[in-house]
Amino acid sequence: MKNTVIVTGATSGIGFAVCEALLGAGYPVIGVGRSLEHCHKAQTAMTKGHPDTKLRFITADLLHQREVLRAAREIERAVSDFGGGIHALINNAGCVRSRYMTTEEGYEQQFALNHLAGFLLTQELLPLIKRDNAAVINTSSTSHKMMQMNWNDLMYQKRYRPLYAYKQTKLCNMLHVYHLRASGVRACGIDPGLVRTEIGNKNTSGIVNAVWNIRMKQGISPEQSAKIYLSLCENGFPGIYYGIGKTGTNKAGAIACELRTNRQINSSNAERLYEVSMKLCGLTNPIKSKKGIENNECTDNRGKWWLRQSNGNGLREARI
Amino acid sequence: MAMDCARRGYNLFLTDMNEDLLDAISVGIRRKYDVDVQSMACDLTDSKAVNDMLSKAQQRGIFFDMLLNVAGIDCEGGFTERTAFEIKTMIGINIEATINLTHEMLDRRCESVQIEQKPIYIVFVSSLASLYPMPLKACYAASKRFLYDFAYALGRELEPQGVYVTTLCPGGLATNEESIEAIAAQGFWGTLTTNAVEKIARRTISKVLRGKRTYIPGIINCTLGMASKLLPRALIAWTIQRRWQKARLQRATVVLSS
């Protein structure tokens, strides 16, 4: 029996198509979606197409870290119910915002969902991922190229530039992949290409909506992109970044080709982002709070393990 | 604004009715800026609860340099379309809660020996709506008008004692999905009068520290604010009524079609 694949943002767009492709290939799938209604709809549609496969949907709004933590626990339970282990974790959930909006924690939403949610979920499932030698696949984008990390204002709080904020999160996805590979986890980023999804029309307004509606018409279908994910899941991957090749493969059917990445994807940036992300996720900085998320993490055995690991890697000491 | 204060290095004391959200934002700010953030859930319309909260804060050795009165709710719709309870709740939060907290805090300041040592800054978040008579949002606009006039007068009254009061009058703010929908339904004018949350937060704190009394963000909004003083009130009310009616119709159409 094949191991389970976990897909976030699985109720629509690329995530939905990837789930269908994986179910077709016989993988048990755990999908994560934001809306209960959409999860039901997606599950019904997928079960109809693939009646004999193992499929479970978990409803969680990954914008908020408490929901990511809950989703991770539910995923662990679902994996154990399915039997076997994890084959791959596909961090696909993402969003586009045209205005500065924040999560419950006060983090900018694109940064929180596109990068931090995937980062935290991966960290939470890391023991399982390492145990099963599973792959971590991040949905990045070619827009991460020609972009640098805005270290002075990671969340564009001083002056919000929606497009730059989005591109930076995609660069973060690649830096996350780089760091995972350096620590011995099989990981890669994927450029799904320009895909006809509704990402640019959810909670956006004005010019972002208009530009996306025009661009979307030139895009490929989510099913074509899904073939890259399936190909990498089935055949493995030596490289760090894959997408649809340039030589006419768009129309002939997507085949995963290794692509060149940004020079910004290097060990110093990856290490710095890792350190910042660990802190923002409360994994290295369990301080003063008398109640709330942090203390739970501190008293958790796995939390202590992370604390030791991060100190062992020469990262900033936890401030207690 | 809490985020911006933390960015500037202020320690924070946060209060809200929702304890879970308070915990989450406290954790987020602490992780992001390494400042001390304390929080306490409180119903600000209950003066006894406010008194208790500030007593506990005092026991913890907290003294306040700045008070940001941001808590407030909108109550859209015609006067008769809303229940008296809904309207009273809005007035309770927008006005009563603000008065409770401000009064309690200033009382404690007078009692303490620190009176001459440090200035204290108080910010009231009013609205662009406070500048006009606003059909279909009559109570909301009036509650914000109260804050606008009250803040200005209070600033004059207490300036000799080192209390500096600023009123913020922003246009639309896209803070969540509902507000984005509401702004979109207002069409061109909605987009034009909308302010960027992050910019307003940053600039408001800067202006507060410079002692500015009123801050209307954006050139368009400033012009509209000026126009409110020059144009006849009847014309303003008529124009606004047409605008809100159109927006309501637009929103109803969107809801029906979806």
Side-chain angles (χ1 to χ4, degrees):
Chain A
M1 194 188 75
K2 288 182 173 177
N3 280 350
T4 305
V5 180
I6 301 145
V7 183
T8 64
T11 56
S12 63
I14 298 170
F16 183 90
V18 170
C19 285
E20 288 227 294
L22 290 166
L23 288 169
Y27 287 98
V29 171
I30 298 169
V32 183
R34 184 166 69 103
S35 140
L36 184 64
E37 186 192 346
H38 290 174
C39 283
H40 280 314
K41 275 185 190 168
Q43 179 140 20
T44 311
M46 286 178 201
T47 314
K48 202 182 278 179
H50 312 279
D52 300 326
T53 48
K54 288 180 177 174
L55 170 67
R56 186 174 297 179
F57 265 89
I58 292 165
T59 308
D61 187 352
L62 300 181
L63 269 175
H64 311 298
Q65 293 191 350
R66 62 182 165 81
E67 290 277 281
V68 180
L69 296 173
R70 183 178 61 76
R73 299 291 86 81
E74 288 193 29
I75 288 169
E76 282 170 354
R77 275 198 293 275
V79 169
S80 121
D81 289 349
F82 281 175
I86 298 179
H87 180 73
L89 165 63
I90 300 178
N91 289 313
N92 167 71
C95 68
V96 171
R97 293 285 181 265
S98 50
R99 296 180 192 278
Y100 184 84
M101 292 168 78
T102 56
T103 65
E104 282 174 9
E105 295 86 14
Y107 301 157
E108 193 274 320
Q109 289 193 353
Q110 290 195 84
F111 188 79
L113 182 60
N114 298 5
H115 168 60
L116 282 182
F119 178 86
L120 181 55
L121 189 62
T122 309
Q123 291 298 324
E124 287 286 314
L125 299 175
L126 207 53
L128 286 185
I129 289 169
K130 285 189 169 173
R131 184 196 70 189
D132 302 331
N133 192 27
V136 177
I137 299 174
N138 283 354
T139 298
S140 182
S141 159
T142 194
S143 65
H144 84 271
K145 292 181 179 175
M146 308 291 286
M147 189 64 205
Q148 292 187 351
M149 292 298 293
N150 185 17
W151 291 115
N152 291 331
D153 186 15
L154 264 183
M155 302 191 193
Y156 285 85
Q157 196 184 333
K158 286 181 193 161
R159 186 182 168 207
Y160 193 59
R161 297 173 168 186
L163 188 59
Y164 281 77
Y166 176 77
K167 287 163 76 164
Q168 184 183 252
T169 61
K170 293 298 153 187
L171 179 56
C172 290
N173 290 150
M174 291 308 301
L175 290 170
H176 179 210
V177 163
Y178 187 96
H179 193 275
L180 284 171
R181 289 170 70 90
S183 56
V185 176
R186 293 195 303 125
C188 75
I190 288 184
D191 167 30
L194 179 61
V195 187
R196 288 193 297 273
T197 66
E198 291 296 318
I199 190 170
N201 296 332
K202 291 175 187 170
N203 281 344
T204 55
S205 58
I207 198 160
V208 173
N209 249 329
V211 169
W212 182 247
N213 283 334
I214 294 166
R215 287 205 73 203
M216 196 168 69
K217 288 174 188 163
Q218 299 156 6
I220 58 172
S221 70
E223 289 72 25
Q224 278 175 286
S225 273
K227 288 177 186 170
I228 312 172
Y229 291 81
L230 182 60
S231 159
L232 294 177
C233 278
E234 295 213 302
N235 307 324
F237 44 84
I240 186 171
Y241 181 49
Y242 289 88
I244 296 170
K246 283 182 182 174
T247 53
T249 43
N250 285 13
K251 288 171 188 169
I255 301 164
C257 299
E258 192 173 349
L259 304 176
R260 291 178 66 182
T261 57
N262 189 340
R263 282 185 187 174
Q264 290 291 312
I265 299 165
N266 53 44
S267 58
S268 79
N269 276 341
E271 193 66 22
R272 192 168 176 185
L273 181 68
Y274 174 77
E275 190 183 342
V276 170
S277 306
M278 289 289 275
K279 191 180 165 202
L280 289 174
C281 292
L283 301 177
T284 55
N285 196 16
I287 54 172
K288 304 168 205 170
S289 174
K290 289 178 183 160
K291 53 187 176 178
I293 300 166
E294 286 181 353
N295 264 15
N296 296 338
E297 287 163 4
C298 297
T299 51
D300 182 51
N301 283 334
R302 193 168 296 148
K304 285 177 184 168
W305 179 80
W306 277 321
L307 200 62
R308 283 203 302 274
Q309 284 295 306
S310 58
N311 290 341
N313 288 339
L315 298 174
R316 191 185 301 171
E317 287 285 327
R319 198 164 69 86
I320 301 175
Chain B
M1 282 205 270
M3 276 286 181
D4 201 77
C5 288
R7 189 176 64 80
R8 290 164 191 259
Y10 283 100
N11 293 326
L12 301 175
F13 184 89
L14 308 176
T15 181
D16 192 287
M17 281 180 82
N18 190 326
E19 195 167 2
D20 292 337
L21 286 180
L22 264 183
D23 283 342
I25 191 74
S26 305
V27 166
I29 293 174
R30 220 176 277 133
R31 286 174 185 168
K32 204 171 165 189
Y33 293 111
D34 280 338
V35 294
D36 186 12
V37 185
Q38 303 208 24
S39 63
M40 202 176 286
C42 178
D43 176 5
L44 295 177
T45 54
D46 179 356
S47 51
K48 189 175 172 300
V50 172
N51 190 8
D52 287 348
M53 179 183 72
L54 292 180
S55 299
K56 282 177 189 165
Q58 208 166 16
Q59 282 164 14
R60 290 185 200 173
I62 297 173
F63 290 98
F64 297 99
D65 290 330
M66 193 184 288
L67 166 64
L68 302 172
N69 284 305
V70 184
I73 54 170
D74 193 355
C75 185
E76 212 169 301
F79 183 69
T80 51
E81 292 166 13
R82 294 285 171 188
T83 62
F85 177 74
E86 283 174 324
I87 292 170
K88 281 181 194 166
T89 306
M90 184 204 64
I91 290 173
I93 294 172
N94 290 6
I95 297 178
E96 217 176 309
T98 310
I99 298 284
N100 276 342
L101 188 57
T102 310
H103 201 276
E104 286 288 341
M105 186 166 287
L106 289 174
D107 275 352
R108 278 161 205 282
R109 184 174 183 272
C110 291
E111 286 165 14
S112 80
V113 287
Q114 288 205 335
I115 184 163
E116 286 165 14
Q117 292 174 357
K118 270 184 152 185
I120 183 168
Y121 299 93
I122 302 179
V123 182
F124 292 93
V125 178
S126 180
S127 164
L128 196 61
S130 67
L131 305 177
Y132 318 101
M134 198 166 264
L136 298 175
K137 272 193 171 197
C139 292
Y140 173 75
S143 71
K144 291 297 182 182
R145 181 74 194 190
F146 172 87
L147 289 181
Y148 178 72
D149 283 342
F150 166 71
Y152 199 87
L154 190 72
R156 280 270 172 217
E157 190 179 317
L158 298 180
E159 194 174 337
Q161 298 166 34
V163 179
Y164 299 95
V165 182
T166 303
T167 320
L168 169 66
C169 298
L173 294 173
T175 48
N176 52 33
E177 289 177 34
E178 290 81 42
S179 54
I180 286 182
E181 278 173 23
I183 289 164
Q186 288 173 42
F188 175 72
W189 282 103
T191 311
L192 208 62
T193 54
T194 297
N195 297 116
V197 181
E198 77 285 1
K199 263 190 215 169
I200 288 191
R202 191 179 72 243
R203 288 181 185 170
T204 301
I205 305 298
S206 299
K207 285 180 192 293
V208 168
L209 295 173
R210 289 208 300 270
K212 193 168 168 68
R213 290 182 193 280
T214 308
Y215 174 39
I216 304 175
I219 295 171
I220 303 285
N221 291 351
C222 275
T223 313
L224 290 172
M226 196 67 79
S228 73
K229 291 171 187 161
L230 301 173
L231 295 173
R233 284 166 69 82
L235 176 65
I236 292 171
W238 178 79
T239 312
I240 289 174
Q241 185 166 11
R242 274 176 60 92
R243 185 183 156 195
W244 287 128
Q245 273 173 343
K246 207 172 157 187
R248 275 162 57 125
L249 201 65
Q250 178 75 25
R251 283 188 86 173
T253 314
V254 170
V255 170
L256 277 176
S257 63
S258 63

